[in-house]
């Protein structure tokens, strides 16, 4: 059936039936680009076409007219649509996918100008992706919803691609840190919060990731009803006691998924309630400064995550990233994770065996998610099958009955989960293993995924189909012999079906009076003439019917397997989670053994003692470059140690920032459940981690570098507690010297006296070392430097004491500043130091050598009595006696010395 965009000639201003249908569907989805299915293409029209063509760098054309104007149009092929969707989603667009939901033949029965029925079957947004091509295998793809009930707030989070679903209350002051932990791809929020004084700036900063919805969508009563319907229960008591704000957030999220998936809700896991304070609070600025999951340039390489990641599965990679983003604050749970790492670090043979089995485990969670929303295929069923096989291998290899072996921690729970899950899905596993071929196709419509000999009716129609094809080959040979045309071929295409083809030169032989009764002409093209016969038509019908019957039978079997899979989706989800936990535990065990990491002692006390700690990322870079080993350093901020506030001084390039960061990273690694790069570590639980190390301007929000620094420092001083860990690097450097010193001084006092946090405070303001005499819990440490032949060598060692100079000019020389600049800088520095060290002070600003380069204007110079007298003298006319008398007179005119 042909569908036309152009209107009839006598009604150029009117919309065609097709365009009327398009405009109606588009009006219902104004904020989305509409992918409108026409045959083998998704077409876009009007403004959608112009925006998509620019974003995708494809041709923008015209097709027909509407209201007297040309209709802009572009299109993408259906078979490559995912590639284009990926580009659009990454550029912040949302897409409505509109499919044909009716056979064109049915539409034609209603009249020659009838339009095929179309419906939007899915809304594609950043937080609702399931396709592998649109997702990062090792990154979660979270959709987050911010709910509100009165003044109470809550955040719900779901990863549609894995089924994870959580909710928890949150204070407004902690909202930014929680969003940073979740790192959502899309955030749903009531439009009323866009005018909230405290929350609105945070939401608007999300940019394209923010999806404002009418506040009615966040009604807690509606949310409760939606959750009950989702789980098919009369009450939610079995899931937890949820606040109205939590019901608001979770209900709005479920409603949005139902809207975007057009009623095909994904298989979400049980809603898990997350208590406040379960995770170490780390705000967005600290995560960025410490480069936890990506560097400041946006690259994963060079981040802490990339450095420690030894996982061998995509699910394990996501679990590791989740743990790194959310270090725990419960010492018992942390110890269970440490037990698991120790268990595998100490048994290399078992560790290597399990990691080999894990490598064969597909991504069960994401395969299950695609199946649940009817986007899965035979390849996803094979992933379930192979995942269960890997789970069996891991269960059998994990023998945990030896009482003399060290505690396996969370490994035991993971193994028990595998054992129970395998038993519950054994029937499905056996069925998948029996029916599916080793490597099935992606799409069910392609067929060929049911193994031969497994289903008798399917084998029968396949035999008929395949036998008919052999008959075709025999028929072709017979026709050649009968006609005497050796080049005769029987071919097939989607328009004519099966046909006989020969060249124009030989076509006459098939149209003789004798042959005409057998061969009937069908089509002539430039390079060939095509014929058919009654026998070929009959055979073609048999082949077509057999092929269609085979595909129909396979589709029926596929639907049965999908139904069986979804019936145990909760069990499969638990199995997938257990596999991810084992991958992380073995990976961290591998890391500990490979890089000599040690088990930290983590408890609820105030301790923070690191012996010979190392920066994990810098150490890895040095190893990769085969350079000299990393220089380890101690740090003791414990209450019974040297002092809980360390003032760190020393020259640039000496390693102050590295020292600060490494201790923060060690705390994160310890509380996420990893071993740490040190010889010994004892860490009291850190409830909040703050880092102000390096800053950049924020021009989009009108903030200078110094303003950004002050905003971050304000957050620290307002929120840090005695259980927090704070690292501050060169606070106050972005303004005038005395202003900066004053701010740094006051901030250090506040940290010591009010926050009472464990803190590392690096500065170039050497005057601040005087604070150590006044503040009882502050000590001064410095970075060791060796001077030799007017050169400096950075030893990267931390020692007690204070630096007496910054060596900034030496660093400038190393950086390649011109020698004239270096020489001039030394001259200025000497003048400044002389004034400071009690030599002749600089009486005014133009005493600086810097300002002697250009003399002050003459009009600004006030002459003295001596100068006036000298101007009146004619030296050539003076006798020796007169000259001597004049000299005495000039001396008398000099002002008396103060």
């Amino acid at each position: 059936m042909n569908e036309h965009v152009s209107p009839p000639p006598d009604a150029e201003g009117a919309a065609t039936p097709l365009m009327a249908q398009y405009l109606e569907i588009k009006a219902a989805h104004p904020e989305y680009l509409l992918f409108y299915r026409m045959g083998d293409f998704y077409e876009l029209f009007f403004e959608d076409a112009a925006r998509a063509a620019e974003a995708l760098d494809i041709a923008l054309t015209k097709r027909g007219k509407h209201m007297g104007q040309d209709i802009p149009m572009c299109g993408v092929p259906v078979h490559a649509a995912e590639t284009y969707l990926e580009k659009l989603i990454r550029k912040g667009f949302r897409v409505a996918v509109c499919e044909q939901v009716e056979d064109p033949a049915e539409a034609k029965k209603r009249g020659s100008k009838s339009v095929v029925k179309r419906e939007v079957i899915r809304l594609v947004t950043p937080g609702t992706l399931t396709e592998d091509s649109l997702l990062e295998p090792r990154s979660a793809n979270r959709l987050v919803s911010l709910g509100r009930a009165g003044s109470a707030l809550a955040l719900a989070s779901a990863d549609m691609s894995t089924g994870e679903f959580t909710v928890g209350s949150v204070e407004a002051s902690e909202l930014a840190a929680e969003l940073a932990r979740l790192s959502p791809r899309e955030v749903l929020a009531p439009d009323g919060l866009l005018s909230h004084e405290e929350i609105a700036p945070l939401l608007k900063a999300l940019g394209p990731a923010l999806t404002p919805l009418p506040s009615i969508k966040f009604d807690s009563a509606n949310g409760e009803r939606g959750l009950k319907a989702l789980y098919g229960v009369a009450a939610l008591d079995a899931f937890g006691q949820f606040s109205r704000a939590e019901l608001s957030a979770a209900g709005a999220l479920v409603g949005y998924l139902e809207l975007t998936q057009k009623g095909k809700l994904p298989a979400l896991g049980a809603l898990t309630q997350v208590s406040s304070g379960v995770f170490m609070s780390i705000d967005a600025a600290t995560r960025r400064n410490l480069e936890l999951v990506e560097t400041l340039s946006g690259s994963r390489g060079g981040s802490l995550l990339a450095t420690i990641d030894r996982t061998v599965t995509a699910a394990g990679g996501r679990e590791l990233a989740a743990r790194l983003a959310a270090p725990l604050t419960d010492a018992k749970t942390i110890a269970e994770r440490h037990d698991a790492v120790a268990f595998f670090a100490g048994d290399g043979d078992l560790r290597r065996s399990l990691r080999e089995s894990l490598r064969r485990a597909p991504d069960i969670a994401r395969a299950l998610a695609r199946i649940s929303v009817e986007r899965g295929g035979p390849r996803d069923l094979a992933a379930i099958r192979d995942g269960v096989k890997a789970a069996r291998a891991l269960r059998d290899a994990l023998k945990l009955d030896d009482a003399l072996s060290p505690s396996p921690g969370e490994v035991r729970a993971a193994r028990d989960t595998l054992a129970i899950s395998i038993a519950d899905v054994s029937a499905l596993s056996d069925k998948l293993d029996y029916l599916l071929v080793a490597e099935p196709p992606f799409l069910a419509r392609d067929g060929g995924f049911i193994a031969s000999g497994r289903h008798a009716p399917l084998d029968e129609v396949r035999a008929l189909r395949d036998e008919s094809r052999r008959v075709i080959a025999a028929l072709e040979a017979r026709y050649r012999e009968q006609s005497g045309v050796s080049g005769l071929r029987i071919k097939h295409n989607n328009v004519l079906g099966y046909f006989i083809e020969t060249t124009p030169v030989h076509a006459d032989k098939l149209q003789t009076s004798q042959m005409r009764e057998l061969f009937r002409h069908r089509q002539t093209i430039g390079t060939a003439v095509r014929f058919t016969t009654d026998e070929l038509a009959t055979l073609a019908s048999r082949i077509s019917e057999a092929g269609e019957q085979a595909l129909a039978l396979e589709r029926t079997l596929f639907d049965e397997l999908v139904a069986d899979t979804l019936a145990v989706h909760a069990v499969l989800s638990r199995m997938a989670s257990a596999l991810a936990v084992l991958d992380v535990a073995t990976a961290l065990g591998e890391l500990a053994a490979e890089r000599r990491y040690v088990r930290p002692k983590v408890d609820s006390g105030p301790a923070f003692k690191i012996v010979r700690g190392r920066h994990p990322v810098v150490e890895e870079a040095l190893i990769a470059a085969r350079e000299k080993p990393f220089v380890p350093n101690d740090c003791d901020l414990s209450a019974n140690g040297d002092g809980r506030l360390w003032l760190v001084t020393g020259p640039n390039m000496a390693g102050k920032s590295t020292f600060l960061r490494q201790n923060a990273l060690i705390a994160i690694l310890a509380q996420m459940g990893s071993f740490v790069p040190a010889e010994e570590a004892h860490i009291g639980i850190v409830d909040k981690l703050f880092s102000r190390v390096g800053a950049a301007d924020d021009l989009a929000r009108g903030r200078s570098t110094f303003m950004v620094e002050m905003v971050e420092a304000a957050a620290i001083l307002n929120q840090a507690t005695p259980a927090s860990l704070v690292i501050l690097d060169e606070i106050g450097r972005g303004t005038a010297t005395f202003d900066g010193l004053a701010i740094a001084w006051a901030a250090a006092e506040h940290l010591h006296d009010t926050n009472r946090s464990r803190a590392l405070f690096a500065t170039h303001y050497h005057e601040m070392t005087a604070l150590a005499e006044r503040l009882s819990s502050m000590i001064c440490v410095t970075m060791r430097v060796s001077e030799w032949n007017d050169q400096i060598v950075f030893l990267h060692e931390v020692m007690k004491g204070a630096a007496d100079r910054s060596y900034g000019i030496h660093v400038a020389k190393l950086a390649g500043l011109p020698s004239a600049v270096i020489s001039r800088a030394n001259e200025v520095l000497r003048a400044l130091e002389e004034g400071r060290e009690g030599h002749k002070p600089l009486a005014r600003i133009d005493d600086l050598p810097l300002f002697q380069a250009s003399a002050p204007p003459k009009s600004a110079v006030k002459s003295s009595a001596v100068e006036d007298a000298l101007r009146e003298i004619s030296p050539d006319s003076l006798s020796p006696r007169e000259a001597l008398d004049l000299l005495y007179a000039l001396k008398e005119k000099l002002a008396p010395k103060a």
Side-chain angles (χ1 to χ4, degrees), residues 599-612:
R599 177 173 184 160
K601 179 182 178 181
V602 179
D603 56 31
S604 57
F608 192 92
K609 183 178 182 180
I610 311 298
V611 178
R612 295 183 64 79

Side-chain angles (χ1 to χ4, degrees), residues 826-863:
N826 277 312
E827 181 183 345
V828 173
L829 179 62
R830 281 193 298 272
L832 290 170
E833 288 179 336
E834 287 171 0
R836 188 162 56 240
E837 297 296 330
H839 294 84
K840 180 180 178 181
L842 300 175
R844 56 187 186 186
I845 193 65
D846 55 9
D847 282 338
L848 272 172
L850 179 65
F851 295 93
Q852 291 178 0
S854 57
K858 291 183 178 180
S859 59
V861 180
K862 183 178 180 181
S863 61

Side-chain angles (χ1 to χ4, degrees), residues 146-148 189-194 212-220 222 248 252:
L146 174 59
R148 179 174 65 167
D191 51 12
L193 286 179
L194 294 179
L213 296 175
S215 295
I216 190 63
K217 298 285 188 182
F218 293 84
D219 179 74
S220 61
N222 289 338
S248 166

Side-chain angles (χ1 to χ4, degrees), residues 809 817-830:
I809 296 176
L817 263 65
S819 57
V821 174
I822 299 298
S823 176
R824 180 69 168 149
N826 277 312
E827 181 183 345
V828 173
L829 179 62
R830 281 193 298 272

Side-chain angles (χ1 to χ4, degrees), residues 625 650 734 748 779:
I779 69 164

Side-chain angles (χ1 to χ4, degrees), residues 174 281 644 685-690 715-726 750-752 754-759:
E174 290 291 330
S281 176
R644 55 181 160 77
I685 291 293
V686 174
D687 66 345
K688 300 178 182 181
L689 176 63
F690 296 98
I716 295 170
L717 298 177
N718 287 322
Q719 299 177 36
T721 72
S724 300
L725 176 63
V726 176
H750 193 278
L751 270 176
H752 182 276
T754 304
N755 302 109
R756 304 183 66 80
S757 306
R758 293 162 288 184

